[in-house]
Amino acid sequence: MKATNPDPKAAAGHSAAAIKQLYQQHVVPSYGRFDLVFERGRGSYLWDASGKRYLDLGSGIAVCCLGHSHPAVTEALVEQSQKLVHISNLYYHEPQGRLAGELARRIGPGKCFFCNSGAEANEGLYKLARKFGHDEGRFEILTATNSFHGRTLAGIAATGQDKVKKGFEPMVAGFRQVPFNDLEAMRAAISPATAAILIEGIQGEGGITPASPEYLLGLRQLCNERRLLLLMDGVQCGYFRTGAFQSFQRILEGVPGGEGFLPDAISMAKSLAGGFPMGAFWVREPYADVLGPGTHASTFGGTPLACAVALKILEVIEREALALNAWNLGEWLRKALEQLAARFPSVLRSVRGVGFMLGFELAPTLPGLAADKTVAAQIVNRLHEAGLLSIPAGNQVVRLLPALNLTQSEAEEGLRIIEGVLAPLAS
Ligand SMILES: *Cc1c(COP(=O)(O)O)cnc(C)c1O
């Protein structure tokens, strides 16, 4: 008994090895974790248990949009928690109403529903689509190959990647995948049962693949013609990451016919409360009342505390013009990475994405790397050794999803570290 059940307190303030031991014994091993134990963070830096500093260009997979331990987030948490942390959605409170207004103001006329995660926000979209199509017997949602929509049962059915479905069959019915950025394939896939189309504006887990402007405009028209809802998963690519509030606003910037574009609903989570768990979806008029009283709910959705944090984050983003920072510094980073790709074509295949949602594609094999692990994971590991955090996407892409308040000098530091790791691999 003693050996298999150590006192958890024994690890408090102790070694990384003791912490990992607790995980091995008591945490469900559903994640492939990197061998890093973190203790604290400040801005775009994190410190591990040994005191080593890392530049964090992953920001908790696009979550910590103001970096770590931002004083405004701390202030909002402290102030609101002294007033009211939680009340049921049986009642009204000011922060939820104000936040819904702020989100709608940045998208278009419509309403918001609050929940706690990205998968849950997408669940809301699936229920919206089902309710919308119900009386006509329509229920099917078409999604894209290589997409990612979360790990709930319906989330993995919606996701266009076999690896998340494997072992969990049978899949929830009513989802089918179609190649991304292929309007004709989508048109051909529509059946009498189809109620909605769901896409990411920029596929994140799938390897940083933006939807083309023609695809977005074509889907809008297709959905109008066939009376389908156009749903967008903005969990990763939304929330100013591209330099615009939502990715389609960036993708369609200056594109003729793009000004009036709106999807029918958008899911959000990740950066929404900067690390405080929160999800939401926005749905436009005239569908904003499809989910009427009693049709959908979440105990923790949109608590005063979560909403107060999200409101404070919006305030900081506006005051410090962080969307513009993501747009401009993202452009700089992208160009710098493209220059690296031009210098080391045998290592770097391409650079993708916009703003602070960037990916660089590595060659399928690189000298000195093991054959039994993905190239992306091994490069991410080498970047860790060199003091930089990034996120793998698929086998060959490394993602950079930094905090929106990343500075020029931090971006330069990141680039130097990336060059230092990749240059020696060039032939
Ligand atoms: C992360 C992510 C999700 C799932 O969000 P969770 O908060 O992990 O449930 C869904 N869609 C996209 C595009 C994501 O990047």
Side-chain angles (χ1 to χ4, degrees):
M1 276 300 278
K2 271 264 155 62
T4 56
N5 246 339
D7 180 359
K9 274 186 267 160
H14 287 291
S15 70
I19 293 165
K20 281 185 267 181
Q21 177 76 1
L22 283 172
Y23 270 65
Q24 259 137 37
Q25 295 197 301
H26 303 295
V27 177
V28 170
S30 67
Y31 299 94
R33 289 180 209 275
F34 288 105
D35 194 18
L36 294 171
V37 179
F38 285 110
E39 234 165 49
R40 65 195 170 88
R42 188 87 196 166
S44 284
Y45 292 98
L46 276 170
W47 285 265
D48 72 11
S50 73
K52 177 177 167 182
R53 193 181 82 158
Y54 297 78
L55 176 63
D56 182 7
L57 296 188
S59 63
I61 319 192
V63 167
C64 306
C65 57
L66 297 184
H68 301 279
S69 315
H70 194 286
V73 172
T74 305
E75 182 195 297
L77 280 167
V78 170
E79 277 186 11
Q80 184 59 47
S81 66
Q82 287 167 340
K83 264 197 288 190
L84 189 61
V85 170
H86 171 88
I87 52 159
S88 163
N89 278 306
L90 293 171
Y91 314 108
Y92 297 91
H93 62 83
E94 181 183 328
Q96 185 175 132
R98 275 182 55 213
L99 181 60
E102 291 291 333
L103 298 179
R105 187 163 73 74
R106 288 168 175 82
I107 305 171
K111 296 179 180 171
C112 298
F113 176 91
F114 294 98
C115 53
N116 312 283
S117 70
E120 207 188 337
N122 287 335
E123 288 282 335
L125 300 189
Y126 313 145
K127 284 184 71 177
L128 175 76
R130 288 228 176 164
K131 196 75 171 48
F132 162 78
H134 185 263
D135 292 349
E136 298 171 12
R138 297 193 288 152
F139 57 87
E140 188 181 54
I141 300 170
L142 300 176
T143 69
T145 309
N146 256 333
S147 60
F148 181 80
H149 300 297
R151 297 292 198 135
T152 56
L153 269 185
I156 61 175
T159 293
Q161 302 187 45
D162 288 339
K163 66 181 181 199
V164 309
K165 303 177 195 263
K166 220 173 131 212
F168 298 103
E169 300 85 356
M171 286 294 109
V172 170
F175 293 93
R176 260 191 305 134
Q177 278 81 48
V178 176
F180 190 55
N181 269 334
D182 184 340
L183 188 62
E184 288 320 305
M186 191 61 89
R187 188 190 302 278
I190 296 169
S191 82
T194 307
I197 292 172
L198 167 67
I199 60 153
E200 291 158 89
I202 302 177
Q203 292 189 330
E205 304 302 306
I208 312 289
T209 312
S212 70
E214 302 75 39
Y215 188 55
L216 289 180
L217 296 177
L219 285 181
R220 183 64 275 175
Q221 194 174 349
L222 184 58
C223 287
N224 292 351
E225 283 165 14
R226 308 294 292 268
R227 285 195 314 113
L228 308 177
L229 294 183
L230 178 56
L231 312 174
M232 291 186 75
D233 180 340
V235 170
Q236 187 167 151
C237 61
Y239 231 73
F240 305 104
R241 187 139 293 280
T242 59
F245 184 57
Q246 290 296 328
S247 65
F248 62 84
Q249 295 164 335
R250 171 81 201 252
I251 292 168
L252 294 172
E253 166 84 18
V255 174
E259 318 77 37
F261 176 94
L262 268 185
D264 296 309
I266 303 169
S267 58
M268 296 167 245
K270 293 206 159 89
S271 281
L272 187 51
F276 196 89
M278 187 175 212
F281 67 81
W282 165 93
V283 48
R284 98 180 158 115
E285 304 294 353
Y287 310 112
D289 295 333
V290 165
L291 291 174
T295 58
H296 196 42
S298 162
T299 295
F300 290 125
T303 64
L305 190 56
C307 292
V309 172
L311 281 165
K312 179 62 78 175
I313 286 172
L314 276 174
E315 198 184 298
V316 174
I317 288 173
E318 300 272 291
R319 191 175 63 225
E320 299 181 2
L322 297 182
L324 192 66
N325 187 56
W327 188 304
N328 290 337
L329 194 50
E331 204 74 9
W332 181 88
L333 247 180
R334 189 193 153 102
K335 288 207 180 101
L337 287 168
E338 277 166 354
Q339 281 162 13
L340 274 190
R343 279 169 59 207
F344 309 116
S346 68
V347 182
L348 267 176
R349 281 287 177 82
S350 69
V351 179
R352 312 128 172 247
V354 288
F356 279 170
M357 188 164 184
L358 297 171
F360 52 88
E361 187 195 354
L362 299 155
T365 56
L366 286 169
L369 295 195
D372 61 338
K373 289 199 199 107
T374 69
V375 170
Q378 292 179 82
I379 293 301
V380 166
N381 261 321
R382 290 196 180 190
L383 290 168
H384 289 164
E385 284 159 26
L388 181 130
L389 298 181
S390 60
I391 318 272
N395 295 341
Q396 268 170 260
V397 176
V398 174
R399 267 179 293 175
L400 305 180
L401 304 161
L404 301 177
N405 56 4
L406 187 80
T407 65
Q408 175 76 35
S409 69
E410 287 161 350
E412 286 169 15
E413 180 188 348
L415 201 75
R416 275 197 305 277
I417 296 174
I418 293 167
E419 178 175 351
V421 165
L422 297 185
L425 299 169
S427 51

